[in-house]
Amino acid sequence: MFTRNSTVSGTLKASMSSSTFASGSSNSSGNSKASVDFARFARETFEKTYGAPTYVAAEARRSQGQDKVISIEYTTSQRDFARDSKRKVAGHMVLGIDDDSTTATVLAKGVPADAGSVSMSLRSPVDSSVVAVLRTASKTERFVEIWHDGALAKSIDVSSVHGEFYGDSTFGKLAWSVNGKSIVYAAEKPEYDKARPEPATPDNSGEEIAGDITDDIIGGVAGIADPRRYEVESDWGETFDGKRPPALVVLDVSSGAARVLAAPDGVSPGQAQCLEECIVFTGYKYAVRKHGIVYCQNRPTGIYTCDFDGGNVKCLHSGSVRSPRVTPSGKGLVFLSTTPGGPHASTSELIYYDLADESATILVPII
């Protein structure tokens, strides 16, 4: 595989070197030009192919009062060869559905905008002019932003509440509560406390004693770190190397208060959705160690519900299931199910789960 700075440039150097070595031959200049032209053609072909944008997320909603008009917000990922990096780009288009409902025409298309610092964004189900954005400002700074009519209405610093956002398709998901008052998303569990100062206390002489750990402490009682900080906890492998386990976070939009929900034992939560009175999520099960998950849809999982405070956890359906979505009526769920074991990325079936009857029905079977 070529890269612009290494293989392609190496080809250019090699071709120039070989032409210099063969400068005594009558056709050396012709060979040199041919080599340079080939290297240029190879580079341009590679960049055109490997640099094509890939759609990674999209949200479609009908315009109010216009059933034949659909607004689509999408995110693409594309390789930037000049910067030698991947870039995320946010775009918007408006589609008009033809009378036969089988074809669509692009009515308008907005100017794409760089979304490199945005992990996820989602419009409120109550007011489409309100958008929640998960933004990573730096390695240690994370914010939840609430935008209203294209203007920043609120920016909430959650850097000390949890670790990095999970913005992938395995664990990551941003969801609004049905009433539009809260959002739910996935992020790294917060680190357990380091040793830090304890409240200053007077000794017998009436002087205060420092509690911090420093070289000049004399007679003080140093703060003690949470011993769980030093426990070994494996990650989920592959694209999650070095990341702390995921946790669901509930943020109150009005007050800005964020709560990290405790995960059930032996379960890593993700892909959260909201029902009227509870949260629905995929729970990835594990025992002593966590096996790679991103390309292995045959791992043991379950579809769970819990209250917005993390309590009353219940497993609705077990197997190798994922990607729950709430039906428009709010009375059921649809999700994907793969046969446990066997090939890692085998075919899935689509299942409907009736919340009232607590029954599952196969909508689209494996063929």
Side-chain angles (χ1 to χ4, degrees):
M1 182 174 289
F2 289 126
T3 62
R4 178 168 187 166
N5 295 330
S6 57
T7 309
V8 173
S9 60
T11 303
L12 290 172
K13 290 179 180 178
S15 63
M16 294 302 292
S17 176
S18 61
S19 65
T20 302
F21 177 79
S23 59
S25 63
S26 60
N27 61 350
S28 61
S29 60
N31 289 338
S32 175
K33 184 178 184 303
S35 298
V36 172
D37 288 345
F38 172 77
R40 183 181 294 111
F41 171 77
R43 184 187 70 194
E44 291 175 352
T45 302
F46 167 75
E47 292 188 358
K48 184 180 296 185
T49 304
Y50 191 54
T54 302
Y55 289 88
V56 296
E59 178 193 0
R61 61 174 62 228
R62 295 185 184 276
S63 299
Q64 294 182 353
Q66 302 182 64
D67 291 341
K68 295 292 186 178
V69 177
I70 297 179
S71 175
I72 300 178
E73 294 178 345
Y74 59 89
T75 303
T76 61
S77 175
Q78 187 170 9
R79 174 70 63 177
D80 185 331
F81 293 97
R83 299 185 183 183
D84 192 22
S85 64
K86 272 189 176 181
R87 301 180 66 181
K88 285 203 306 182
V89 177
H92 175 258
M93 69 172 66
V94 178
L95 299 181
I97 308 300
D98 294 342
D99 293 335
D100 59 5
S101 298
T102 60
T103 57
T105 303
V106 178
L107 303 179
K109 194 170 184 178
V111 177
D114 189 286
S117 63
V118 175
S119 294
M120 285 190 163
S121 64
L122 186 66
R123 291 186 181 274
S124 167
V126 176
D127 184 351
S128 61
S129 67
V130 177
V131 182
V133 176
L134 308 183
R135 188 180 302 277
T136 301
S138 69
K139 189 175 181 179
T140 58
E141 294 179 306
R142 292 167 291 277
F143 298 86
V144 174
E145 299 173 349
I146 306 298
W147 291 74
H148 183 229
D149 280 335
L152 181 63
K154 184 175 293 187
S155 183
I156 304 162
D157 189 345
V158 293
S159 307
S160 61
V161 178
H162 53 71
E164 295 180 6
F165 296 117
Y166 271 87
D168 60 284
S169 60
T170 303
F171 295 103
K173 194 75 178 72
L174 173 60
W176 281 88
S177 61
V178 175
N179 59 16
K181 295 182 178 180
S182 304
I183 61 171
V184 183
Y185 58 90
E188 286 182 315
K189 289 169 53 178
E191 285 191 287
Y192 292 112
D193 291 336
K194 299 178 181 179
R196 55 182 178 179
E198 296 186 3
T201 55
D203 63 6
N204 295 333
S205 64
E207 296 180 356
E208 291 187 344
I209 300 175
D212 201 359
I213 295 182
T214 60
D215 292 335
D216 57 357
I217 287 181
I218 300 176
V221 179
I224 300 176
D226 189 317
R228 293 174 297 178
R229 179 180 177 83
Y230 304 107
E231 293 179 356
V232 176
E233 191 165 16
S234 61
D235 55 44
W236 278 101
E238 287 145 320
T239 58
F240 304 110
D241 289 342
K243 294 200 72 169
R244 295 198 299 277
L248 297 184
V249 183
V250 178
L251 183 140
D252 184 285
V253 173
S254 177
S255 67
R259 175 201 292 264
V260 178
L261 306 185
D265 291 338
V267 173
S268 287
Q271 300 181 331
Q273 296 281 307
C274 291
L275 290 167
E276 189 169 349
E277 297 181 353
C278 64
I279 300 169
V280 181
F281 63 92
T282 302
Y284 296 87
K285 302 177 183 180
Y286 62 91
V288 177
R289 60 174 293 190
K290 300 184 180 78
H291 299 278
I293 193 70
V294 66
Y295 305 117
C296 307
Q297 290 81 28
N298 61 337
R299 303 296 192 201
T301 61
I303 302 298
Y304 293 79
T305 60
C306 71
D307 295 338
F308 280 87
D309 62 0
N312 196 25
V313 178
K314 180 180 179 180
C315 182
L316 303 182
H317 195 86
S318 290
S320 294
V321 290
R322 65 193 187 280
S323 303
R325 296 294 187 270
V326 181
T327 59
S329 66
K331 297 180 180 180
L333 306 171
V334 291
F335 52 85
L336 297 172
S337 176
T338 303
T339 303
H344 285 178
S346 59
T347 309
S348 299
E349 59 189 6
L350 184 65
I351 291 181
Y352 170 77
Y353 185 88
D354 189 294
L355 293 169
D357 297 341
E358 298 185 350
S359 61
T361 304
I362 297 176
L363 293 181
V364 181
I366 296 175
I367 300 174

